[in-house]
Amino acid sequence: MWTEKTKNGKYKHVERYTDPVTGKEKKVSITTEKNTAQARKTAQRALLVKIDNLLDARTISNITLSELREKWLNDKRRTWKESSYGSEKRNSRKVVEMLGENCIANNLTARYVREHITSLDEDLSLANGRISVFKRMITWGFKNDYISDKSYLDKLEKVATSTETEEDIEEKYLESDEVAKLIKGMKKEPWITLTRFLVLTGLRIGEAFSLTAADIDLKNRHIHVISNYDYINKLTDTPKTPSSKRRVYIQDELLVFARELKKEALANKLIYGSDLIFQRKGKPLVYESYHYQLSTVSQKTLGRKITPHTLRHTHTSLLAEQGVDIETISRRLGHEDSQITRKIYLHVTKKMRKRDEMQVQSIRIL
């Protein structure tokens, strides 16, 4: 290190280092007010830290899992939607906590990861989600030269969950008589209206919360799904997937209802300045409030708790009962490929075939 006096009377301390990529010699500097032994010693330490940061000395050899996560999130924040970023941030935080913040990312093994992520007595689907997040983080680290080897990721297969029974699938949706009981048991607005709407359209709760009067085309009988309300981050964003952006046909049963909703939304716009279909004084409804109402009322009237997504599955089952084919249902729901939608469809159609067979079983024709 050498020191130079600047024109304004301060002192610039300079150090050389070699760029490991280009092989060229470079310089870094730091300025101090004085040129005492203590100032030079402090400057020397600061210059070494500065060089370390430029060389990214803590990468391949000993970067911790916590440090890797921060670098990964900082990079991905530029391209991810806010909702996706928030979800990955929460899930990856749990992964790091379970594996150890200070563990060296390069020293992790498949056995260590599997034992620590699946050690809790909880829903195995959560463990599978964490494995997926971990794989994305390590793969990013490998592509950006923070991780030297990621081949062990192939050993981290998702945990096999128990095979779903017919009873399990039936828990994912409501029968038509259960829908009637649920709506009758809901004494408060706007929860009654919202519940009816979700059953009749199959929209996701975020899609319904972002819907405006302008999105309801009564002339052509279409609901245009072009946005999604992220109730966690409190913002309206693009739909969940490219196929989620769609037109939902307004069937006869929904037409009068949709007309009433649009009329009320336009009236609210004059008062509150917002034409959101589901609002409270110009602001989107609170998801947690609806979730609580739905959970409480369903437990009381049906003997089990349901979520808003149950109503989306219910839409699938009711359409299947009416003979609508799976491709039409999937397009209406905005699905590219949904295993649970397909399972519900097959389950309902199977029940219908059994019912038909029972009706014919004892008939005498001749």
Side-chain angles (χ1 to χ4, degrees):
M1 183 188 79
W2 72 93
T3 303
E4 302 171 355
K5 190 172 184 178
T6 64
K7 292 180 180 180
N8 59 5
K10 295 183 180 181
Y11 297 90
K12 183 169 72 172
H13 309 278
V14 188
E15 185 65 277
R16 291 190 180 94
Y17 73 97
T18 301
D19 188 318
V21 177
T22 64
K24 294 181 179 180
E25 188 176 84
K26 295 184 177 181
K27 293 186 293 183
V28 292
S29 63
I30 191 169
T31 301
T32 61
E33 297 286 339
K34 300 179 180 180
N35 190 28
T36 62
Q38 182 63 36
R40 289 193 296 273
K41 187 175 181 181
T42 301
Q44 180 72 64
R45 287 198 299 266
L47 287 171
L48 291 176
V49 171
K50 204 169 186 178
I51 291 172
D52 270 354
N53 289 335
L54 289 169
L55 295 177
D56 210 0
R58 301 189 64 182
T59 56
I60 290 295
S61 61
N62 62 350
I63 188 170
T64 67
L65 189 60
S66 179
E67 291 169 334
L68 178 66
R69 172 179 175 267
E70 289 303 314
K71 292 179 182 293
W72 171 60
L73 289 174
N74 287 337
D75 179 62
K76 291 300 182 181
R77 187 163 198 171
R78 296 176 295 175
T79 55
W80 282 343
K81 294 197 304 181
E82 189 64 32
S83 56
S84 299
Y85 174 78
S87 175
E88 291 287 79
K89 186 176 182 180
R90 289 190 299 275
N91 294 333
S92 61
R93 181 189 298 118
K94 186 63 177 179
V95 169
V96 171
E97 287 176 359
M98 296 178 78
L99 296 178
E101 294 184 1
N102 296 318
C103 68
I104 305 303
N106 249 314
N107 295 343
L108 291 170
T109 64
R111 184 174 66 182
Y112 179 89
V113 173
R114 190 183 301 109
E115 288 176 351
H116 284 73
I117 283 185
T118 62
S119 61
L120 296 181
D121 183 19
E122 61 184 359
D123 190 339
L124 292 178
S125 63
L126 295 176
N128 286 336
R130 293 186 191 118
I131 288 174
S132 296
V133 170
F134 177 78
K135 283 187 172 182
R136 288 194 289 272
M137 184 164 52
I138 295 299
T139 298
W140 179 89
F142 178 75
K143 290 180 178 178
N144 288 275
D145 297 323
Y146 292 105
I147 301 295
S148 58
D149 178 33
K150 70 176 184 70
S151 60
Y152 72 93
L153 295 182
D154 293 335
K155 302 176 184 178
L156 286 174
E157 299 176 349
K158 289 187 176 181
V159 183
T161 55
S162 57
T163 303
E164 284 185 311
T165 64
E166 291 190 0
E167 289 76 14
D168 292 331
I169 296 175
E170 289 181 352
E171 287 292 305
K172 297 183 184 297
Y173 67 89
L174 303 181
E175 301 284 358
S176 56
D177 63 320
E178 291 180 311
V179 174
K181 289 179 182 178
L182 177 68
I183 293 176
K184 186 177 180 181
M186 300 192 85
K187 308 296 184 183
K188 299 180 180 179
E189 289 287 7
W191 312 130
I192 298 172
T193 298
L194 178 57
T195 302
R196 284 183 61 202
F197 183 80
L198 293 177
V199 172
L200 288 171
T201 62
L203 263 65
R204 299 178 177 91
I205 187 67
E207 294 170 345
F209 277 7
S210 70
L211 205 64
T212 67
D215 297 326
I216 298 181
D217 180 358
L218 295 172
K219 181 179 179 181
N220 296 301
R221 298 180 67 157
H222 286 131
I223 294 174
H224 296 272
V225 180
I226 58 175
S227 60
N228 183 75
Y229 181 67
D230 177 1
Y231 48 82
I232 295 177
N233 296 297
K234 310 300 181 187
L235 55 87
T236 299
D237 209 335
T238 54
K240 185 178 179 181
T241 64
S243 62
S244 296
K245 191 173 182 179
R246 65 197 187 279
R247 294 184 309 181
V248 175
Y249 181 71
I250 301 175
Q251 67 271 31
D252 291 346
E253 187 180 16
L254 178 60
L255 185 58
V256 175
F257 188 32
R259 185 178 290 115
E260 292 172 353
L261 289 174
K262 182 166 185 172
K263 182 179 179 180
E264 185 176 353
L266 291 173
N268 283 331
K269 186 177 182 180
L270 296 176
I271 303 172
Y272 305 112
S274 170
D275 67 339
L276 284 172
I277 296 297
F278 298 103
Q279 62 169 284
R280 192 180 294 278
K281 296 183 177 180
K283 299 293 179 65
L285 297 179
V286 178
Y287 171 80
E288 290 77 11
S289 297
Y290 180 53
H291 187 279
Y292 173 78
Q293 289 289 329
L294 196 60
S295 175
T296 303
V297 174
S298 62
Q299 180 65 53
K300 184 177 180 179
T301 58
L302 307 177
R304 61 186 173 101
K305 294 181 179 180
I306 68 168
T307 68
H309 212 70
T310 307
L311 303 178
R312 182 167 160 85
H313 294 325
T314 298
H315 187 70
T316 297
S317 69
L318 296 178
L319 289 184
E321 282 187 357
Q322 297 296 319
V324 181
D325 62 85
I326 184 64
E327 287 76 18
T328 300
I329 295 174
S330 294
R331 286 195 298 271
R332 185 174 172 87
L333 294 177
H335 278 154
E336 291 178 350
D337 179 39
S338 171
Q339 291 298 317
I340 185 58
T341 296
R342 195 165 295 276
K343 285 180 180 179
I344 290 174
Y345 178 84
L346 293 174
H347 178 70
V348 171
T349 53
K350 182 180 177 182
K351 282 178 62 178
M352 290 170 62
R353 284 196 299 271
K354 284 184 177 179
R355 186 173 59 199
D356 292 343
E357 291 169 357
M358 289 295 293
Q359 290 178 341
V360 177
Q361 182 177 6
S362 58
I363 289 178
R364 295 180 63 87
I365 298 177
L366 296 176

